[in-house]
Amino acid sequence: MIKSILIANRGEIAIRICRTAKRMGIKTYVIRTAKEPNAVYLDFADKVIDFPETDGTVPEFLDIDNLVKLAVDNKVQAMHPGYGYLSENADFAQKCTDAGIKFVGPPAKLIKDMGDKIIAKEIAAKNGVPMLQGSEGSVKDVKEGVKIAKKIGYPVIIKAASGGGGRGMRIVHKQSEMEQMFHAASSEAQSAFGDPSVFIEKYLENPKHIEFQVVADAHGNVVHLGERECSVQRKHQKLLEEAPSSALDATLRNKMARVAVKLAKGAGYESLGTVEFLLDKNKNFYFMEMNTRIQVEHPITEAITGLDLVELQLRIASGEKLPIKQSDVKLNGWAIECRVNAEDVQANFTPSMGVIKQLRLPQGDNIRIDTGIVPGSEITPWFDSMIAKLIVHGKDRKQAIERTLSALERFYIKGVKTTIPFCKAVLHNASFCSGDFDTSFIETKLESLVYREPDEELMAALLALYQYTHETVPEVGPETGIDPWVLNRRIRNL
Amino acid sequence: MTTKKPSNTNKLIALNSDTNAEYEFSVRNNYEYRYNRCPIRIDLVQEADGVNVLSCNGMRYPYEITQQSANTYSITLNGVSYNFSIETPFSLSRKRMLAAKAGISKKEVIKAPMPGKILDVFVAEGQTVGNGESLLVLEAMKMQNTIATHMKGTVTKVTVVPGKTVGKDDVLIEIKAEQ
C-alpha cells in the first residue's frame, strides 16, 4: 500500500482526498500557495508544503515540473491530481512515473488517448460503443467541414480534439454559419488547449447526458458503479446531478453498463473512469467521451453504492486487486448533488467575488456537504467558482428531491451570491420532477432561473420600505427624554 | 377643546427597478404598514451567528442590504437580489413621465456582462444591424461569448477594438433604434 501522497489540488477535493487517505493510514501532503495561504484545505493534511516562488506565469497547480520536484524532494510516494488542473494531463502522469512517483489515475498513454477526442472515438468504436456520425479524424478547413455537414445533415457540432469542459465547441445549424463557427471553435481550442484541431459530429438536439462510473484494477478486473444523470447544464457546465437516472430502466442500464465495461476492458483501462453518453428521445445512446479522473459529482455514486471511490483509486494505485465484484455492487435509493457556485445567477451566472461573511450549513443523516470554505474565506478570481457541493440521499427520487429542497432552505451563505436559488428552481420545476428533461432544460423548461417563495418579492419591498421609513426618523436616545412622535402629536394638537 | 385625531398616513410605493412591479403601502406613523388594506408586520432580527433574518407571517428569510443610496435599496433576500426604490405617488408619476419621454429616442447600450478580453468586433459605427445580429466576441474565463443585439437599429458608438481588456459593465457598443 502507498504510504504517502501529495495532493496536487486545493479546495473541497483536497479535503475529500485527505479524509480517505487519513482513514487508510496514508500520510497526506498538500501545497500552500501565495494566493490563499490560509485556505481551509491546509488544515486537513498531515504536512503542508509551501509552493516555491516562481515568475507566476504558470499557475501553481498547473506547474508540472515544480509539483513533481516537490513530491521528489519530500519523498512522497504517490501523486493525486484531484479533478481539473493536471488530472487529465498525460505529460504530468508521465513525469510523475519517470520520477518514480505513482500517479493516481490511469497510465499516461491512456490519458493521452482518451484526451484526444479523435483517438478516443476510434478506441470506442473499435470496442463496439455506438457512435454518432461525423468526420473521420480532424477537419482541416471550412470547405471540408461543409462537405461533411452536407453528408451527415445539419445541425452539426464542431468540437476541439483536445477539448473538454465545453470549450472549443460550436453548434452549426446551417451552412452559412459554418465559416464563423469553424473559426470560433478552432481559435478557442487554440487558446484553451494549445491545439487548434477540431472534428465534426452530428449534433444531437437536446439529448440527455448520462455517464457511467467504471473502476478497473491493474489485473484486468473492471466493475461499473451505475450511472449518473447530468442533464441540468448550462453552456456544457454541469450544475445539478443525480444518480441513478430516471430515464433508464434495468434493461437499458445493463446494456449501457456492458458497453462501458467493454470499452474499459478493451482499452486496458486502469483506475477510476467515467464513460459519458448522449441519450436521445428514442433511448438510443452514443459515445461522447471518457474522463480519466475522479469527477466532481462522484459523491452521488458513493451515496447510492456505499463505496468510497477515492479509496478504490488509492488501492488500485497501490497495485491491489479490486476489493469488489460486480455482484457486490448494489444501487440503493437516490442521490442528488447541487453545485453551490459563487455566481450571480440573475446576472447570467457571472462569478461573484467577495468574502464569506457567514455560512449556515444544513445538517442531517442524509446530507453530505463537501466544501473548502469557512466564514472569512475569500472568493477570488484565481480559482473555480464552485465553493461547495450538497449531496442528499433518499430512498427514491421523490424523497431525494424533497430532502434536497429542505436542505437548500437551511443552506445560507452571506457575502457572495450563489447558485442555491437556482438549484431550488430546478427542484421545484414540474418537468424536472417528472423526469421529462434534457440538456435544453434551462433554456426551455425553467421559467425563472431563481426560485422565490410566493410572497418573497413583497417581503423585499417591505424591507426596502422599512429601511426608508426608519432612516428618516431620528434615533431616540434615553437622554432626549421625549419621544419625537409624542412631541409631534402635541404640536399638532396645540 | 376638540380632539382631532392626527392623520399621519402616507402612501408609499416600492418600485422594483428591474421589473417595474409596484407595491403600494399605506404607512402610518412611519412604522405601521398596510398592504391591500391588511396590516403587515415585519421583524428584523440578528441571530446568534450574525445572520440577519426577516420574519413576517411566520416565514423567515435571511437578508442582506447590499447597497443603499437616497431612496434606492439593493437587497438580497433568501439568496435572490432585488432593487427597489421607494416613491411617493408624486415622485412615481414624475418618474413615469420621464421614462415615457426617454422612450421616444430608444437606444440599446451593450455592456460587458463580465470582465474579459475583446477578441473580435463585427460592426462599425454607422452600420445598421438586425435583431439578434452578432456584434462582438468577448473572451472571459477562457470561454468565447458572442454578444448580440436585441434590437434593429444603427450602431452609434463602438468603444472597443479587438485585444482590449474590459471590466464588467463597461460600455462596448451603443445602438440607436430604428424609428
Side-chain angles (χ1 to χ4, degrees):
Chain A
M1 175 60 80
I2 294 166
K3 291 272 179 293
S4 56
I5 51 167
L6 173 63
I7 299 163
N9 217 307
R10 58 173 289 280
E12 67 89 15
I13 192 64
I15 296 173
R16 160 79 195 85
I17 297 163
C18 281
R19 282 212 170 103
T20 292
K22 236 177 219 180
R23 186 168 53 72
M24 295 171 73
I26 299 170
K27 193 169 174 186
T28 51
Y29 291 72
V30 291
I31 290 160
R32 184 190 345 247
T33 66
K35 286 167 192 152
E36 44 170 10
N38 304 313
V40 186
Y41 72 90
L42 302 169
D43 300 341
F44 286 78
D46 298 309
K47 247 183 125 96
V48 176
I49 309 171
D50 283 311
F51 196 82
E53 248 179 67
T54 62
D55 59 4
T57 45
V58 181
E60 294 85 347
F61 295 112
L62 290 175
D63 191 337
I64 297 179
D65 293 335
N66 267 317
L67 289 168
V68 174
K69 185 171 179 295
L70 286 177
V72 173
D73 290 351
N74 288 279
K75 300 187 177 60
V76 183
Q77 286 182 353
M79 180 83 78
H80 199 307
Y83 52 68
Y85 293 122
L86 294 170
S87 59
E88 291 181 290
N89 185 305
D91 239 18
F92 183 52
Q94 191 58 52
K95 283 194 171 147
C96 285
T97 311
D98 293 347
I101 294 155
K102 176 68 194 171
F103 179 80
V104 180
K109 172 83 172 61
L110 268 164
I111 299 178
K112 191 163 186 291
D113 288 351
M114 290 304 178
D116 185 315
K117 300 290 173 264
I118 294 168
I119 299 177
K121 280 180 74 172
E122 278 166 17
I123 298 174
K126 211 166 67 194
N127 285 290
V129 185
M131 310 295 288
L132 284 164
Q133 274 189 294
S135 60
E136 276 178 32
S138 65
V139 178
K140 62 176 194 300
D141 56 21
V142 178
K143 222 174 103 190
E144 197 188 333
V146 169
K147 213 172 96 189
I148 292 160
K150 243 185 202 148
K151 202 177 87 191
I152 61 176
Y154 288 94
V156 299
I157 184 162
I158 309 173
K159 287 184 182 175
S162 355
R167 292 173 194 164
M169 242 190 244
R170 286 293 184 280
I171 298 152
V172 187
H173 292 279
K174 49 183 190 282
Q175 193 172 324
S176 59
E177 298 172 351
M178 181 61 90
E179 187 164 356
Q180 191 197 339
M181 293 304 184
F182 188 90
H183 293 310
S186 187
S187 76
E188 195 171 302
Q190 171 68 39
S191 76
F193 315 109
D195 171 14
S197 55
V198 294
F199 64 97
I200 290 180
E201 220 172 52
K202 175 82 190 156
Y203 177 63
L204 210 53
E205 270 180 281
N206 310 334
K208 270 177 173 279
H209 177 125
I210 310 280
E211 58 185 33
F212 272 77
Q213 180 74 62
V214 293
V215 52
D217 64 19
H219 310 279
N221 303 304
V222 183
V223 162
H224 79 85
L225 306 179
E227 81 281 12
R228 295 183 286 257
E229 165 146 16
C230 317
S231 300
V232 180
Q233 9 180 292
R234 181 183 169 273
K235 294 194 173 174
H236 305 282
Q237 304 288 336
K238 297 166 187 169
L239 288 160
L240 187 148
E241 301 98 340
E242 60 182 307
S245 162
S246 56
L248 270 52
D249 57 17
T251 317
L252 184 55
R253 178 169 298 120
N254 283 332
K255 199 171 152 197
M256 291 175 81
R258 267 205 306 276
V259 167
V261 168
K262 190 169 170 230
L263 169 59
K265 272 199 175 142
Y269 197 78
E270 183 194 320
S271 192
L272 212 55
T274 302
V275 184
E276 298 193 335
F277 294 107
L278 298 174
L279 181 73
D280 73 13
K281 304 258 172 317
N282 304 317
K283 310 266 173 187
N284 298 309
F285 62 94
Y286 305 95
F287 177 73
M288 183 157 62
E289 60 183 43
M290 181 164 187
N291 295 320
T292 55
R293 54 170 154 88
I294 193 154
Q295 306 261 120
V296 173
E297 60 273 23
H298 77 276
I300 49 176
T301 298
E302 295 186 326
I304 62 164
T305 58
L307 295 164
D308 181 331
L309 299 195
V310 174
E311 180 183 335
L312 293 178
Q313 260 189 323
L314 294 170
R315 286 189 183 280
I316 292 164
S318 304
E320 286 187 17
K321 278 191 175 164
L322 269 180
I324 43 160
K325 294 191 293 292
Q326 190 63 59
S327 55
D328 298 329
V329 179
K330 297 273 183 296
L331 305 184
N332 163 36
W334 215 280
I336 294 174
E337 175 183 89
C338 295
R339 296 196 189 190
V340 178
N341 299 345
E343 288 171 9
D344 187 347
V345 177
Q346 291 168 284
N348 221 1
F349 291 84
T350 48
S352 176
M353 311 294 167
V355 175
I356 305 297
K357 292 185 212 147
Q358 259 119 29
L359 188 60
R360 270 186 188 180
L361 302 177
Q363 290 177 334
D365 286 345
N366 307 293
I367 295 173
R368 164 177 170 184
I369 291 173
D370 284 14
T371 180
I373 57 157
V374 289
S377 294
E378 202 181 336
I379 310 302
T380 65
W382 299 113
F383 303 112
D384 196 85
S385 63
M386 197 201 63
I387 53 175
K389 306 189 295 202
L390 168 71
I391 302 102
V392 180
H393 192 214
K395 69 175 193 303
D396 53 25
R397 191 166 189 265
K398 189 165 172 284
Q399 193 185 52
I401 291 174
E402 282 163 9
R403 284 183 174 169
T404 309
L405 271 172
S406 138
L408 285 170
E409 274 158 25
R410 289 174 281 144
F411 201 143
Y412 179 62
I413 295 177
K414 183 174 170 184
V416 293
K417 289 197 72 182
T418 72
T419 44
I420 292 173
F422 167 82
C423 291
K424 285 186 201 161
V426 173
L427 296 166
H428 275 287
N429 182 281
S431 296
F432 177 83
C433 291
S434 73
D436 173 28
F437 66 104
D438 51 46
T439 45
S440 71
F441 173 74
I442 294 177
E443 295 99 65
T444 58
K445 301 277 173 70
L446 211 55
E447 301 89 39
S448 171
L449 288 175
V450 293
Y451 175 75
R452 296 177 172 92
E453 297 291 338
D455 56 356
E456 200 178 288
E457 186 172 340
L458 172 65
M459 293 300 120
L462 206 52
L463 179 60
L465 180 73
Y466 182 96
Q467 283 300 113
Y468 180 82
T469 50
H470 283 68
E471 262 157 33
T472 47
V473 177
E475 283 277 322
V476 182
E479 62 279 359
T480 20
I482 186 157
D483 185 332
W485 298 110
V486 178
L487 185 66
N488 189 22
R489 203 175 281 201
R490 284 186 192 162
I491 292 165
R492 278 169 179 269
N493 284 321
L494 276 177
Chain B
M1 201 170 101
T2 57
T3 51
K4 203 181 122 205
K5 260 196 169 178
S7 160
N8 198 10
T9 304
N10 292 317
K11 217 180 240 181
L12 285 174
I13 299 110
L15 174 71
N16 185 325
S17 350
D18 303 314
T19 63
N20 281 328
E22 291 169 18
Y23 292 88
E24 194 181 292
F25 298 95
S26 77
V27 181
R28 223 184 128 193
N29 293 334
N30 275 357
Y31 55 87
E32 291 166 26
Y33 309 125
R34 278 170 181 269
Y35 180 70
N36 282 343
R37 300 202 168 154
C38 296
I40 192 163
R41 191 186 143 81
I42 60 167
D43 286 304
L44 304 180
V45 190
Q46 190 171 61
E47 300 201 337
D49 58 358
V51 174
N52 293 317
V53 174
L54 177 155
S55 72
C56 180
N57 294 341
M59 299 296 286
R60 296 158 50 77
Y61 304 118
Y63 77 89
E64 192 182 358
I65 295 168
T66 50
Q67 224 172 47
Q68 69 181 74
S69 62
N71 63 332
T72 63
Y73 301 86
S74 296
I75 288 163
T76 306
L77 186 75
N78 224 6
V80 180
S81 297
Y82 299 91
N83 295 302
F84 276 103
S85 66
I86 302 297
E87 309 285 347
T88 61
F90 176 72
S91 74
L92 185 66
S93 66
R94 188 181 55 187
K95 209 170 198 171
R96 279 217 203 90
M97 199 181 71
L98 290 171
K101 242 184 173 171
I104 297 165
S105 61
K106 231 178 114 195
K107 66 173 186 176
E108 185 181 15
V109 179
I110 310 283
K111 290 181 183 172
M114 57 196 113
K117 196 172 113 189
I118 304 293
L119 291 186
D120 216 340
V121 181
F122 304 126
V123 293
E125 282 173 24
Q127 190 178 330
T128 51
V129 289
N131 189 0
E133 197 170 322
S134 303
L135 300 174
L136 52 83
V137 180
L138 172 72
E139 186 182 64
M141 301 183 119
K142 292 209 169 137
M143 290 274 285
Q144 293 186 6
N145 304 280
T146 305
I147 294 174
T149 160
H150 296 293
M151 63 190 225
K152 216 170 149 182
T154 313
V155 178
T156 52
K157 204 174 186 182
V158 179
T159 62
V160 288
V161 289
K164 192 181 170 188
T165 309
V166 295
K168 184 172 160 29
D169 287 336
D170 279 4
V171 173
L172 309 175
I173 283 173
E174 282 181 18
I175 295 166
K176 201 174 139 218
E178 211 168 63
Q179 296 293 313

